[in-house]
Each structure stands twice: as structure tokens, then as C-alpha cells.
Amino acid sequence: MRANRTRRHGAGTLERSAMRVLFTIFPASAHLYPAIPLAWALQSAGHEVVVASPEGVVDQKVIENITSAGLTAVSLGGKEELTASLAPLIAGAGPNRPTLALDPEDPDAWRTARAVLGGMLNAYYPPPAVEGGRRPVLDALVEFAKDWRPDLVLWDPLAPTGAVAARACGAAHARLLFGNDNIGIVRARTREELAEPSSGLTEDPWMPWLRPVLERYGLDFTEETLTGQWTLDLTQPRMRTPVDLTYVPVRRVPYNGAATLPGWLHARPERPRAVLTLGVSRRLLAGRHSGFPLREFFESVSGLDLELVATLNSEQLEAAGTLPDNVRALAYVPLNQVLPTSSAIIHHGGGGTFAAAVAFKVPQLIVPMPMWDEMVTGRYVARRGAGLVADPAAIDVDSLHKDLLRLIEEPSFQLGARALYEDMLAAPAPKDVVPILERLTAEHRG
């Protein structure tokens, strides 16, 4: 067992020092932002916090966004080394590509997600070019962990190398979910398949990638390598798919980055305001191929007595054409700045956007763009009466127009949005989870 770091306090009394907590993040700001409120809570409680991520791989600003949130960043490099391995994934991005999305109405979606995940992990953590050579991102993380010696590693489900680094340095470790536990679901079903001789599955599909990673550091495989010693769950309780794992619920406090507040957002608008956002990750991976009929939708709302604030980058603006007078386009605005004065939001079903809408009690029109749990989120919002969900395979502009008006005009959606807000408040705030993490770290640290 590793000895606790201690300090002497007062007249010879020994007191345990602050924990060191290492967050390992998949290199996208959409994965970083859910972790920031918990990182702040740990830091405010006196613990040392660092956030590690590859740099410049998909999201060019991920390291910058860590430091702009007041946190210490550790760059794991990777831009040069990963460019070649990631090229096929990025080239294949588009509305019809296979995704990691799970849909309860599609019984085989989890097998597709399992195959996509295997390819993604191979691309982000590729083997060395020569036998015994360096695996830059992986080795950088393990070397940092051995040098810094964290007590606890909190890792993104798409960055399971966090578990490897934790085991290599003797730290406790847990997953920090950014959405529905797709990997926990896929893993549970894979284990069921492996245990059933008639399934025909004789080898664990993830072992060809994971076994060499573990052997590199003298480790054997345990299920905790893929699902953590426990899991911090930011999803609303009624959205969760039951999986036989240890979950610690945490309230998802929305964080969308920092920006200067535009002057026109200081006061409530003179007419109803709606927001349209298709998500940062969707921009990065799909560009103009968002699957959303921007030009046609803007034309359909041009005659309505409302203001539509749309977050669009240059590619999306080009696809949208000339904007009507009642559409205000911005490259980016943090949702916590614009939602307090908004009556509705149209979005792609991403977890961060959903959480922000819930926090400000805004009815939602969701056009799911499946990447992870967007279909689950859309159906959940509709089922709870907090909004409406469109069929992404048959987007109808006239229906979107009518649905938007319903959200603004019908009071029932406000009641449903308030119910989601109350569900959010029922989960422990990040600061209330810190003592739980301290206890679990003491129990699991090696």
C-alpha cells in the first residue's frame, strides 16, 4: 500500500493532506465541459486537480478550454502521431456513418456501437510503428501519472487509458460519464454473449486492442479497466438504463465555456426568443453535413413574431444562405447566457445542451443527430412533457415550424420543463459528492 501524504498541523497532530485528482478527457470540449463543475468542487475543497488530454487531434481548443476554466492542463501531445490513424474516421464523418449511438428500439445497435468503439480506440491509441517503440499519448499519460502520483483518476469512458494509468501508479479510479452509459451497456451485453456458447462469440472483441496496452505496463485485464472501480453518473435517474455496476449520482451543472456577455442579452427580449444549436461536436465531425435543413427552416420562421438566435459556424452559415431579419447568427454563445431569456430551444439532443435547457427550465424541440444518446434524450424529453422530438430520418420543416410555436404558446411544456428541473435538483451537487470521492479513494487506492 502506498503511504498517504500527511502534514503536521498544530501541536504535533498529523492530518492527511489534500488528494491529487487527475481527470483524463477524450480530446473534445463537449467531453471536457461536463467535468469542469466537479473539478471546481474538488479544487474548492482544497484538492489538487489537473486535467490531461491529447492536444490538437479533433478539437483544437481543448487544452485552451481547460486553462480558461481555471484548471491546470496537461497536454499529452498526439497531433502528429494520431493524424494518420484518425484520418479514416474523420473522412468517414457524415450523417450516414455508423455511430456509438444506442437506441432501445434497435436491438442490434449495441453491436454496431461495439465495433465502432473498437475502431475508435485503435485509432486514438494506435500501436507503435516498430516493436517496442513509443505509444506517445498512452506513454505520456502513464509517465505523468507515475511522476505526479495522483490519489484518484477520473476518466472519460472514451479514454479508458485513464484506468491503465491509475493501475500503473496505484491510484483509485472511476469513470465520469458525459451521457448515457453506452459502454457499460455494451460491456454487459458482450459478457452475456461470451457466456452463451450458442452466440458464436469466442474471443472478447476488445482484447486485441486492450491486451497489448495492459501488457506494456505489466498489467492483467480486469473488468474495472473498462468500467472503473465505480462510476460517476451525470444523467437524470429516469433516463438511466439499468446496468449492474456501482454508480454515484452527480447533478449535472451546465458549463458551456466563457465569453463576454453581448449587450443585447442584458434584458428580456420584446418578443419570444428561441435558440437553435446543432452542437460543437457535430460541427467538428460533420461540418455542413448536419442533416438539418437550415436554409428551409430559416425561411419558414421568417414571418413569425419571434427572434431566433442560431449558433452557426462559417460552413453552416454558407449552407444557410441569406438570413431573415428575425434570425440572429452567432459563431458561439454560452447557453447559460442566452437561455435565461429564451422561450424554447431547438437542438440535436446533445447532453450538454439538454442539461442547460433543463437548468433554465426551457422547453426543447429535439431533432436527434445520433452520435451517443440523442434518441434516448429526445424521447425522454417528450415523454416527460418538456418538449417534442422530431424524426431525424424524415425532417419536415413545416412540422418543425408548428412544433416550435407549440413550445412557445402551450403552457404544458413549461410545466414539463419545470419537472425536469426539479429532477435535476434531486441529485447531489458536485460539492456534496466530494466527501464521497474522498471516502471511495481511501478505500480503493492501491
Side-chain angles (χ1 to χ4, degrees):
M1 294 290 287
R2 178 176 50 174
N4 289 348
R5 292 186 293 272
T6 59
R7 62 173 178 253
R8 193 167 298 276
H9 179 73
T13 302
L14 287 178
E15 178 183 291
R16 192 189 181 285
S17 69
M19 294 193 303
R20 284 184 166 178
V21 184
L22 169 62
F23 286 75
T24 64
I25 300 297
F26 184 78
S29 294
H31 289 242
L32 165 67
Y33 288 166
I36 284 176
L38 182 59
W40 283 343
L42 286 160
Q43 201 162 256
S44 296
H47 300 298
E48 297 179 65
V49 175
V50 299
V51 183
S53 175
E55 182 173 8
V57 180
V58 172
D59 187 339
Q60 304 295 322
K61 293 187 175 182
V62 66
I63 298 296
E64 175 186 333
N65 288 339
I66 294 170
T67 56
S68 69
L71 299 169
T72 299
V74 173
S75 171
L76 302 177
K79 184 174 183 179
E80 295 180 3
E81 296 83 4
L82 299 185
T83 297
S85 65
L86 288 173
L89 286 180
I90 296 173
N96 298 316
R97 80 195 193 291
T99 72
L100 293 164
L102 294 188
D103 182 350
E105 297 185 4
D106 181 353
D108 292 319
W110 69 273
R111 288 189 175 89
T112 300
R114 182 174 67 189
V116 172
L117 183 64
M120 180 180 291
L121 293 176
N122 271 297
Y124 272 96
Y125 310 103
V130 296
E131 186 70 26
R134 283 184 60 79
R135 301 182 72 152
V137 170
L138 179 64
D139 290 343
L141 176 61
V142 173
E143 287 165 8
F144 174 78
K146 287 182 175 179
D147 288 341
W148 195 62
R149 295 181 62 78
D151 298 283
L152 172 62
V153 178
L154 297 177
W155 49 278
D156 187 305
L158 291 184
T161 48
V164 176
R167 293 182 63 195
C169 71
H173 66 94
R175 293 183 303 156
L176 175 60
L177 301 184
F178 54 83
N180 201 38
D181 191 7
N182 288 10
I183 291 178
I185 295 168
V186 169
R187 188 62 194 160
R189 294 184 179 174
T190 298
R191 294 183 70 185
E192 292 171 2
E193 239 188 355
L194 288 167
E196 176 52 59
S198 64
S199 72
L201 188 67
T202 57
E203 183 181 15
D204 194 319
W206 288 342
M207 284 306 106
W209 165 77
L210 187 56
R211 188 179 294 111
V213 170
L214 293 168
E215 290 174 351
R216 189 174 185 83
Y217 306 107
L219 302 171
D220 57 358
F221 173 73
T222 68
E223 286 296 323
E224 291 175 353
T225 310
L226 289 172
T227 54
Q229 292 173 319
W230 71 92
T231 298
L232 293 164
D233 193 347
L234 296 170
T235 60
Q236 291 211 350
R238 302 189 201 196
M239 285 183 66
R240 295 175 189 148
T241 301
V243 180
D244 187 18
L245 294 170
T246 300
Y247 291 93
V248 175
V250 187
R251 184 185 308 163
R252 182 158 184 170
V253 177
Y255 174 83
N256 311 112
T260 302
L261 184 67
W264 54 270
L265 278 179
H266 291 177
R268 296 200 69 83
E270 295 181 357
R271 52 185 175 171
R273 173 178 290 154
V275 177
L276 169 67
T277 177
L278 302 179
V280 173
S281 293
R282 176 63 56 172
R283 286 185 186 182
L284 293 170
L285 291 175
R288 69 172 64 223
H289 307 294
S290 64
F292 190 92
L294 289 169
R295 186 189 298 264
E296 295 83 356
F297 180 69
F298 290 152
E299 289 175 356
S300 78
V301 301
S302 62
L304 298 180
D305 186 27
L306 60 78
E307 175 189 71
L308 181 66
V309 179
T311 60
L312 304 172
N313 64 7
S314 57
E315 280 190 289
Q316 292 168 324
L317 273 173
E318 185 179 347
T322 303
L323 299 180
D325 292 341
N326 64 339
V327 175
R328 189 192 299 266
L330 297 171
Y332 183 74
V333 60
L335 291 174
N336 60 347
Q337 292 185 356
V338 68
L339 287 181
T341 57
S342 298
S343 301
I345 181 169
I346 308 159
H347 68 94
H348 59 302
T353 308
F354 163 76
V358 169
F360 294 102
K361 302 185 284 291
V362 177
Q364 306 174 52
L365 172 53
I366 298 180
V367 185
M369 298 182 182
M371 292 179 70
W372 190 261
D373 57 3
E374 293 80 3
M375 291 297 299
V376 173
T377 299
R379 292 180 184 136
Y380 174 72
V381 167
R383 189 170 67 248
R384 297 297 308 280
L388 299 166
V389 59
D391 180 359
I395 299 176
D396 178 74
V397 171
D398 186 55
S399 295
L400 293 177
H401 174 116
K402 293 176 181 177
D403 287 345
L404 176 59
L405 287 179
R406 285 188 61 196
L407 293 188
I408 293 172
E409 295 173 355
E410 296 182 19
S412 64
F413 293 110
Q414 287 288 342
L415 296 175
R418 177 169 289 279
L420 289 188
Y421 173 75
E422 291 170 353
D423 283 353
M424 180 197 76
L425 293 183
K431 68 179 181 63
D432 298 322
V433 175
V434 171
I436 300 173
L437 295 183
E438 293 168 343
R439 174 177 58 80
L440 289 171
T441 298
E443 293 174 0
H444 290 279
R445 190 175 51 241

mmCIF file of all heavy atoms in Angstrom, residues 61-63 105 142 152 176 178 183 201 205 238 248 284 303 306-307 310 324 340 376 392 401 430-431 437 445:
data_model
loop_
_atom_site.group_PDB
_atom_site.id
_atom_site.type_symbol
_atom_site.label_atom_id
_atom_site.label_comp_id
_atom_site.label_asym_id
_atom_site.label_seq_id
_atom_site.Cartn_x
_atom_site.Cartn_y
_atom_site.Cartn_z
ATOM 1 N N LYS A 61 -9.134 23.344 -29.532
ATOM 2 C CA LYS A 61 -9.154 24.250 -28.389
ATOM 3 C C LYS A 61 -9.274 23.547 -27.055
ATOM 4 O O LYS A 61 -9.476 24.210 -26.030
ATOM 5 C CB LYS A 61 -10.304 25.255 -28.533
ATOM 6 C CG LYS A 61 -10.125 26.225 -29.696
ATOM 7 C CD LYS A 61 -11.207 27.288 -29.673
ATOM 8 C CE LYS A 61 -10.971 28.347 -30.750
ATOM 9 N NZ LYS A 61 -12.002 29.408 -30.704
ATOM 10 N N VAL A 62 -9.165 22.224 -27.020
ATOM 11 C CA VAL A 62 -9.476 21.530 -25.771
ATOM 12 C C VAL A 62 -8.519 21.919 -24.651
ATOM 13 O O VAL A 62 -8.944 22.172 -23.510
ATOM 14 C CB VAL A 62 -9.526 20.000 -25.987
ATOM 15 C CG1 VAL A 62 -8.169 19.425 -26.354
ATOM 16 C CG2 VAL A 62 -10.096 19.309 -24.766
ATOM 17 N N ILE A 63 -7.219 22.038 -24.917
ATOM 18 C CA ILE A 63 -6.266 22.417 -23.867
ATOM 19 C C ILE A 63 -6.501 23.866 -23.437
ATOM 20 O O ILE A 63 -6.520 24.192 -22.243
ATOM 21 C CB ILE A 63 -4.810 22.233 -24.347
ATOM 22 C CG1 ILE A 63 -4.542 20.748 -24.665
ATOM 23 C CG2 ILE A 63 -3.832 22.737 -23.299
ATOM 24 C CD1 ILE A 63 -4.636 19.816 -23.481
ATOM 25 N N GLU A 105 -34.952 0.981 -29.269
ATOM 26 C CA GLU A 105 -35.857 0.400 -30.249
ATOM 27 C C GLU A 105 -35.122 -0.374 -31.343
ATOM 28 O O GLU A 105 -35.750 -0.982 -32.210
ATOM 29 C CB GLU A 105 -36.724 1.501 -30.863
ATOM 30 C CG GLU A 105 -37.633 2.179 -29.842
ATOM 31 C CD GLU A 105 -38.572 3.186 -30.460
ATOM 32 O OE1 GLU A 105 -38.576 3.300 -31.710
ATOM 33 O OE2 GLU A 105 -39.308 3.843 -29.704
ATOM 34 N N VAL A 142 0.771 7.686 -18.816
ATOM 35 C CA VAL A 142 1.284 6.808 -17.758
ATOM 36 C C VAL A 142 2.501 7.420 -17.089
ATOM 37 O O VAL A 142 2.643 7.384 -15.852
ATOM 38 C CB VAL A 142 1.594 5.409 -18.320
ATOM 39 C CG1 VAL A 142 2.280 4.538 -17.267
ATOM 40 C CG2 VAL A 142 0.310 4.723 -18.807
ATOM 41 N N LEU A 152 -6.425 9.785 -7.094
ATOM 42 C CA LEU A 152 -7.647 9.413 -7.796
ATOM 43 C C LEU A 152 -7.543 9.838 -9.255
ATOM 44 O O LEU A 152 -7.107 10.960 -9.544
ATOM 45 C CB LEU A 152 -8.857 10.112 -7.142
ATOM 46 C CG LEU A 152 -10.216 9.995 -7.842
ATOM 47 C CD1 LEU A 152 -10.681 8.547 -7.914
ATOM 48 C CD2 LEU A 152 -11.258 10.865 -7.133
ATOM 49 N N LEU A 176 -16.179 8.976 -15.313
ATOM 50 C CA LEU A 176 -17.056 10.136 -15.207
ATOM 51 C C LEU A 176 -17.858 10.209 -16.492
ATOM 52 O O LEU A 176 -17.325 10.562 -17.551
ATOM 53 C CB LEU A 176 -16.243 11.416 -14.994
ATOM 54 C CG LEU A 176 -17.037 12.725 -14.977
ATOM 55 C CD1 LEU A 176 -18.085 12.723 -13.862
ATOM 56 C CD2 LEU A 176 -16.099 13.920 -14.812
ATOM 57 N N PHE A 178 -20.356 11.322 -19.448
ATOM 58 C CA PHE A 178 -20.802 12.575 -20.072
ATOM 59 C C PHE A 178 -22.213 12.423 -20.617
ATOM 60 O O PHE A 178 -22.809 13.383 -21.086
ATOM 61 C CB PHE A 178 -19.852 12.979 -21.205
ATOM 62 C CG PHE A 178 -19.651 11.906 -22.237
ATOM 63 C CD1 PHE A 178 -20.558 11.745 -23.269
ATOM 64 C CD2 PHE A 178 -18.568 11.041 -22.164
ATOM 65 C CE1 PHE A 178 -20.388 10.746 -24.211
ATOM 66 C CE2 PHE A 178 -18.391 10.032 -23.104
ATOM 67 C CZ PHE A 178 -19.298 9.885 -24.136
ATOM 68 N N ILE A 183 -21.173 2.451 -22.885
ATOM 69 C CA ILE A 183 -20.113 1.456 -22.777
ATOM 70 C C ILE A 183 -20.454 0.420 -21.715
ATOM 71 O O ILE A 183 -20.205 -0.782 -21.893
ATOM 72 C CB ILE A 183 -18.762 2.139 -22.499
ATOM 73 C CG1 ILE A 183 -18.337 2.908 -23.758
ATOM 74 C CG2 ILE A 183 -17.699 1.129 -22.090
ATOM 75 C CD1 ILE A 183 -17.063 3.668 -23.629
ATOM 76 N N LEU A 201 -19.616 -16.161 -30.200
ATOM 77 C CA LEU A 201 -18.535 -15.234 -29.840
ATOM 78 C C LEU A 201 -17.581 -15.954 -28.904
ATOM 79 O O LEU A 201 -17.936 -16.312 -27.775
ATOM 80 C CB LEU A 201 -19.108 -13.996 -29.163
ATOM 81 C CG LEU A 201 -18.119 -12.851 -28.900
ATOM 82 C CD1 LEU A 201 -17.655 -12.242 -30.214
ATOM 83 C CD2 LEU A 201 -18.765 -11.774 -28.023
ATOM 84 N N PRO A 205 -14.106 -9.071 -28.029
ATOM 85 C CA PRO A 205 -13.753 -8.221 -29.184
ATOM 86 C C PRO A 205 -12.792 -7.089 -28.865
ATOM 87 O O PRO A 205 -12.140 -6.565 -29.774
ATOM 88 C CB PRO A 205 -15.108 -7.668 -29.637
ATOM 89 C CG PRO A 205 -16.126 -8.599 -29.071
ATOM 90 C CD PRO A 205 -15.547 -9.089 -27.783
ATOM 91 N N ARG A 238 -34.214 8.962 -14.189
ATOM 92 C CA ARG A 238 -35.231 8.293 -15.002
ATOM 93 C C ARG A 238 -34.762 8.000 -16.428
ATOM 94 O O ARG A 238 -35.447 7.309 -17.174
ATOM 95 C CB ARG A 238 -36.501 9.138 -15.042
ATOM 96 C CG ARG A 238 -37.087 9.429 -13.667
ATOM 97 C CD ARG A 238 -38.444 10.076 -13.789
ATOM 98 N NE ARG A 238 -38.797 10.804 -12.580
ATOM 99 C CZ ARG A 238 -40.020 11.211 -12.276
ATOM 100 N NH1 ARG A 238 -41.009 10.951 -13.103
ATOM 101 N NH2 ARG A 238 -40.271 11.875 -11.167
ATOM 102 N N VAL A 248 -22.434 6.472 -8.714
ATOM 103 C CA VAL A 248 -22.572 7.579 -7.771
ATOM 104 C C VAL A 248 -23.230 8.720 -8.540
ATOM 105 O O VAL A 248 -22.623 9.284 -9.460
ATOM 106 C CB VAL A 248 -21.205 8.024 -7.216
ATOM 107 C CG1 VAL A 248 -21.367 9.258 -6.335
ATOM 108 C CG2 VAL A 248 -20.538 6.887 -6.455
ATOM 109 N N LEU A 284 -17.617 19.839 -35.570
ATOM 110 C CA LEU A 284 -16.259 19.354 -35.794
ATOM 111 C C LEU A 284 -16.241 18.132 -36.693
ATOM 112 O O LEU A 284 -15.357 17.972 -37.537
ATOM 113 C CB LEU A 284 -15.591 19.021 -34.457
ATOM 114 C CG LEU A 284 -15.320 20.214 -33.535
ATOM 115 C CD1 LEU A 284 -14.883 19.730 -32.164
ATOM 116 C CD2 LEU A 284 -14.265 21.136 -34.140
ATOM 117 N N GLY A 303 -41.508 34.781 -41.119
ATOM 118 C CA GLY A 303 -42.674 35.606 -40.896
ATOM 119 C C GLY A 303 -43.237 35.541 -39.489
ATOM 120 O O GLY A 303 -44.257 36.201 -39.201
ATOM 121 N N LEU A 306 -41.100 36.299 -33.641
ATOM 122 C CA LEU A 306 -40.143 35.807 -32.661
ATOM 123 C C LEU A 306 -38.737 36.118 -33.136
ATOM 124 O O LEU A 306 -38.507 36.447 -34.307
ATOM 125 C CB LEU A 306 -40.314 34.297 -32.422
ATOM 126 C CG LEU A 306 -40.138 33.310 -33.579
ATOM 127 C CD1 LEU A 306 -38.670 33.041 -33.924
ATOM 128 C CD2 LEU A 306 -40.800 31.981 -33.229
ATOM 129 N N GLU A 307 -37.802 36.021 -32.199
ATOM 130 C CA GLU A 307 -36.384 36.183 -32.520
ATOM 131 C C GLU A 307 -35.727 34.819 -32.394
ATOM 132 O O GLU A 307 -35.887 34.140 -31.385
ATOM 133 C CB GLU A 307 -35.733 37.163 -31.536
ATOM 134 C CG GLU A 307 -34.222 37.295 -31.740
ATOM 135 C CD GLU A 307 -33.576 38.089 -30.616
ATOM 136 O OE1 GLU A 307 -33.494 37.551 -29.485
ATOM 137 O OE2 GLU A 307 -33.180 39.222 -30.858
ATOM 138 N N ALA A 310 -29.305 31.703 -33.577
ATOM 139 C CA ALA A 310 -28.725 30.474 -34.110
ATOM 140 C C ALA A 310 -27.208 30.504 -33.964
ATOM 141 O O ALA A 310 -26.570 31.483 -34.343
ATOM 142 C CB ALA A 310 -29.105 30.302 -35.577
ATOM 143 N N PRO A 324 -33.037 35.646 -42.606
ATOM 144 C CA PRO A 324 -34.147 36.602 -42.414
ATOM 145 C C PRO A 324 -33.820 37.607 -41.318
ATOM 146 O O PRO A 324 -32.921 37.385 -40.494
ATOM 147 C CB PRO A 324 -35.314 35.691 -41.995
ATOM 148 C CG PRO A 324 -34.929 34.311 -42.407
ATOM 149 C CD PRO A 324 -33.437 34.262 -42.342
ATOM 150 N N PRO A 340 -31.546 31.963 -20.266
ATOM 151 C CA PRO A 340 -32.410 32.611 -19.274
ATOM 152 C C PRO A 340 -33.453 33.549 -19.872
ATOM 153 O O PRO A 340 -34.471 33.826 -19.222
ATOM 154 C CB PRO A 340 -31.409 33.375 -18.393
ATOM 155 C CG PRO A 340 -30.145 32.610 -18.504
ATOM 156 C CD PRO A 340 -30.120 32.134 -19.932
ATOM 157 N N VAL A 376 -32.365 8.677 -27.139
ATOM 158 C CA VAL A 376 -32.855 8.438 -25.777
ATOM 159 C C VAL A 376 -33.281 9.754 -25.134
ATOM 160 O O VAL A 376 -34.340 9.855 -24.501
ATOM 161 C CB VAL A 376 -31.770 7.737 -24.936
ATOM 162 C CG1 VAL A 376 -32.193 7.626 -23.472
ATOM 163 C CG2 VAL A 376 -31.460 6.357 -25.502
ATOM 164 N N PRO A 392 -35.457 12.148 -37.056
ATOM 165 C CA PRO A 392 -34.298 12.649 -37.819
ATOM 166 C C PRO A 392 -34.214 12.062 -39.225
ATOM 167 O O PRO A 392 -33.542 12.632 -40.087
ATOM 168 C CB PRO A 392 -33.103 12.206 -36.955
ATOM 169 C CG PRO A 392 -33.607 11.019 -36.192
ATOM 170 C CD PRO A 392 -35.055 11.293 -35.928
ATOM 171 N N HIS A 401 -41.707 23.979 -37.735
ATOM 172 C CA HIS A 401 -42.312 25.305 -37.563
ATOM 173 C C HIS A 401 -43.475 25.233 -36.568
ATOM 174 O O HIS A 401 -43.553 26.010 -35.614
ATOM 175 C CB HIS A 401 -42.775 25.780 -38.949
ATOM 176 C CG HIS A 401 -43.554 27.046 -38.978
ATOM 177 N ND1 HIS A 401 -43.111 28.185 -39.600
ATOM 178 C CD2 HIS A 401 -44.770 27.369 -38.464
ATOM 179 C CE1 HIS A 401 -44.010 29.142 -39.476
ATOM 180 N NE2 HIS A 401 -45.038 28.665 -38.788
ATOM 181 N N PRO A 430 -22.147 18.818 -7.148
ATOM 182 C CA PRO A 430 -20.753 18.385 -7.143
ATOM 183 C C PRO A 430 -20.054 18.542 -5.792
ATOM 184 O O PRO A 430 -19.307 17.653 -5.369
ATOM 185 C CB PRO A 430 -20.117 19.268 -8.230
ATOM 186 C CG PRO A 430 -21.232 19.501 -9.198
ATOM 187 C CD PRO A 430 -22.457 19.642 -8.348
ATOM 188 N N LYS A 431 -20.308 19.644 -5.082
ATOM 189 C CA LYS A 431 -19.635 19.849 -3.793
ATOM 190 C C LYS A 431 -20.049 18.794 -2.767
ATOM 191 O O LYS A 431 -19.273 18.440 -1.879
ATOM 192 C CB LYS A 431 -19.930 21.244 -3.251
ATOM 193 C CG LYS A 431 -21.364 21.492 -2.831
ATOM 194 C CD LYS A 431 -21.559 22.892 -2.287
ATOM 195 C CE LYS A 431 -22.999 23.133 -1.844
ATOM 196 N NZ LYS A 431 -23.408 22.250 -0.736
ATOM 197 N N LEU A 437 -16.197 10.962 -2.771
ATOM 198 C CA LEU A 437 -14.976 10.646 -3.519
ATOM 199 C C LEU A 437 -13.785 10.467 -2.579
ATOM 200 O O LEU A 437 -12.938 9.597 -2.801
ATOM 201 C CB LEU A 437 -14.688 11.740 -4.538
ATOM 202 C CG LEU A 437 -15.706 11.902 -5.668
ATOM 203 C CD1 LEU A 437 -15.239 12.974 -6.650
ATOM 204 C CD2 LEU A 437 -15.937 10.587 -6.378
ATOM 205 N N ARG A 445 -7.630 3.055 -3.164
ATOM 206 C CA ARG A 445 -6.260 3.394 -3.559
ATOM 207 C C ARG A 445 -5.337 2.224 -3.247
ATOM 208 O O ARG A 445 -5.386 1.640 -2.161
ATOM 209 C CB ARG A 445 -5.818 4.663 -2.828
ATOM 210 C CG ARG A 445 -4.507 5.247 -3.338
ATOM 211 C CD ARG A 445 -4.199 6.573 -2.658
ATOM 212 N NE ARG A 445 -4.292 6.442 -1.200
ATOM 213 C CZ ARG A 445 -5.128 7.124 -0.453
ATOM 214 N NH1 ARG A 445 -5.962 7.993 -1.002
ATOM 215 N NH2 ARG A 445 -5.160 6.960 0.851
#
